[in-house]
Amino acid sequence: MEIDVFTLFPDAFGWFETQRHVRNALAAGHRLAYVNYRDTTTLSGHVVDDTPFGGGVGMVMRVDVVDWALRARYGVDPVTLGGPRPDGGARRVIALTPGGRILDDQLVEELANTPELTLLCGRYEGFDERILDHYCTDRVSIGRYVLAGGELAAMVLADAVLRKLPGALGHEESVIEESYSAALDGAPEYPHYTRPAEFRGWTVPDILLSGHHANIRAWRLDQSRLRGGQAASE
Ligand code: 6GU
């Protein structure tokens, strides 16, 4: 899988790339690249944004600047990027924007099965609407609150997607049966405990120390359902 992040702040991703599951995914051949809108703008002073028509506060990412950046990266008219391709490839062009579709496990799973992702980070008040209308296949949000830019949201999305890829985590089962996954019917995960078995009088459920794997499994599924999610609300 190939993820391209378009941003004004590529340096913001330095820490992100140091994480083990990200390094594992890259070592396994997946790719993560950054494109700075600033590098391809032809506007004087390397301008990338402008004040909103109709007035109002803040600055808006310009549609021409995004067009230039996408065109330079992919060598095609960027309106075709998310469409069907002769080589059978598939790309989703995702704008990170607070009003978009909320990122959840189902969307992460969809994106983890898409070979090419383009993530567009906006700054300031966001994107000229024509960017979203003409270049993007998706608008994604990580929650109903506003961040100063899309970079943190892009990292959240890339983190969640990369850890789904084979080999990213040490332990393959950890992705299959985790919170909100289909294996748990979309419910949150069951509680975990580790040593010590008792601390300050706080004990661990006996069943987990029993060695009865079938009973442990039944207890965990039960706990997961009790914690809610779709399974419990049905
Ligand atoms: Cl994707 N972007 C920004 N700027 N704020 C957000 C968000 C995205 N998701 C939640 N808040």
Side-chain angles (χ1 to χ4, degrees), residues 198-212:
E198 184 181 339
F199 182 69
R200 296 181 55 182
W202 304 325
T203 56
V204 169
D206 286 337
I207 188 153
L208 296 178
L209 309 173
S210 70
H212 277 280

Side-chain angles (χ1 to χ4, degrees), residues 209-227:
L209 309 173
S210 70
H212 277 280
H213 295 296
N215 292 352
I216 290 171
R217 177 156 177 75
W219 180 86
R220 284 178 166 166
L221 290 176
D222 226 44
Q223 290 292 313
S224 171
R225 280 189 207 105
L226 284 172
R227 289 187 163 193

Side-chain angles (χ1 to χ4, degrees), residues 1 21-30 109 112-113 160-173 175-176:
M1 139 167 269
H21 73 281
V22 177
R23 284 191 281 121
N24 286 348
L26 299 182
H30 302 293
E109 192 66 48
N113 286 296
V161 166
L162 290 174
R163 65 188 291 291
K164 293 266 190 191
L165 301 179
L169 304 180
H171 234 254
E172 286 316 303
E173 300 92 84
V175 196
I176 295 166

Side-chain angles (χ1 to χ4, degrees), residues 107-146:
L107 179 53
V108 170
E109 192 66 48
E110 267 176 56
L111 298 178
N113 286 296
T114 306
E116 297 168 12
L117 298 181
T118 297
L119 306 183
L120 302 183
C121 302
R123 267 275 145 178
Y124 320 114
E125 290 310 295
F127 298 100
D128 184 301
E129 192 71 11
R130 292 168 291 184
I131 298 166
L132 308 175
D133 287 345
H134 299 291
Y135 305 129
C136 295
T137 56
D138 301 81
R139 306 164 188 212
V140 172
S141 167
I142 62 165
R144 294 294 180 236
Y145 44 81
V146 178

Side-chain angles (χ1 to χ4, degrees), residues 4-81:
D4 290 335
V5 183
F6 286 67
T7 172
L8 293 169
F9 303 100
D11 293 347
F13 293 80
W15 163 81
F16 176 71
E17 291 220 4
T18 67
Q19 297 186 96
R20 194 166 60 91
H21 73 281
V22 177
R23 284 191 281 121
N24 286 348
L26 299 182
H30 302 293
R31 297 206 300 107
L32 190 53
Y34 306 94
V35 177
N36 192 334
Y37 301 110
R38 203 77 74 184
D39 293 343
T40 45
T41 177
T42 59
L43 301 173
S44 70
H46 300 285
V47 159
V48 295
D49 55 2
D50 214 328
T51 54
F53 283 130
V57 292
M59 301 293 275
V60 177
M61 281 294 293
R62 287 174 56 127
V63 60
D64 49 2
V65 166
V66 172
D67 190 295
W68 296 329
L70 289 168
R71 205 177 279 268
R73 176 69 173 173
Y74 301 113
V76 297
D77 180 341
V79 297
T80 66
L81 277 175

